[in-house]
Amino acid sequence: MEILLLGNEALKQKAVPVKNITAETARLADQLIDLMHKGKGIGLAGPQVGVMERIFVTHVTGDEPRVFINPSILETSEQTSKYEEGCLSIPGVWADVVRPEKVKLQAWNEKGRAFTLETSGILARAVLHEYDHLEGVLFIDRLSEPKRNRVVAKYKRRR
Ligand code: NI
């Protein structure tokens, strides 16, 4: 399993719900967590490894690794914040992205247990960034076109 990079069509596609949460799903979650840690990232989603299912993981500083399966966003705050983001699928470049400051979502974990999470700050940002991956959206898609072009050009120069 490896992380797909910008330009791979899988990153632009919408992922489908996980039908049954099984031991295989739990194994996939473990693999995603391992890859995220190896890449020193704080989140990783199924489509980033070519698994077009609605699953992602996060691990932000001060938190434990978390697994989100079939997440639904229930609420986002009107209040937004701007923070520098990167992505394991676009290594080596970062840009400020505006997102809601808070998010409330519902999902299932790798044991098949449903949970609700209301969070803010860096975890909210990670969750929203990873959720975007399930919709085929990258953080650079949330930038103005000139800014996106500059970030992509910089990424290409670095490859
Ligand atoms: Ni990403």
Side-chain angles (χ1 to χ4, degrees), residues 12-159:
K12 290 185 184 176
Q13 285 162 26
K14 197 170 157 159
V16 301
V18 174
K19 280 207 187 79
N20 292 299
I21 299 170
T22 62
E24 203 180 314
T25 318
R27 211 173 67 89
L28 170 63
D30 276 346
Q31 288 175 312
L32 288 172
I33 289 168
D34 279 352
L35 268 180
M36 167 180 68
H37 286 157
K38 279 189 189 125
K40 297 185 180 2
I42 62 169
L44 189 65
Q48 290 183 274
V49 296
V51 175
M52 304 312 294
E53 293 186 352
R54 301 184 78 80
I55 178 171
F56 65 76
V57 299
T58 63
H59 191 181
V60 306
T61 305
D63 193 24
E64 60 208 28
R66 292 176 188 261
V67 179
F68 300 79
I69 298 166
N70 296 344
S72 314
I73 291 179
L74 305 176
E75 274 175 52
T76 52
S77 61
E78 277 183 32
Q79 189 198 348
T80 58
S81 63
K82 190 156 89 170
Y83 198 81
E84 195 169 63
E85 289 187 26
C87 180
L88 292 175
S89 292
I90 321 172
V93 292
W94 291 268
D96 282 343
V97 181
V98 176
R99 294 194 189 267
E101 169 62 21
K102 295 179 189 165
V103 61
K104 183 177 177 184
L105 82 164
Q106 191 266 317
W108 282 263
N109 70 12
E110 74 285 3
K111 292 169 188 146
R113 184 171 304 153
F115 65 93
T116 301
L117 175 71
E118 200 168 354
T119 189
S120 60
I122 193 74
L123 182 57
R125 182 163 290 275
V127 159
L128 290 165
H129 175 120
E130 298 312 321
Y131 186 89
D132 270 356
H133 278 297
L134 306 184
E135 297 293 310
V137 174
L138 300 173
F139 82 91
I140 57 171
D141 297 325
R142 296 200 171 274
L143 305 175
S144 67
E145 197 181 337
K147 185 136 189 231
R148 177 165 60 247
N149 291 342
R150 281 201 299 278
V151 170
V152 171
K154 188 174 176 191
Y155 170 72
K156 286 181 175 161
R157 277 201 304 277
R158 293 179 57 106
R159 300 312 292 168

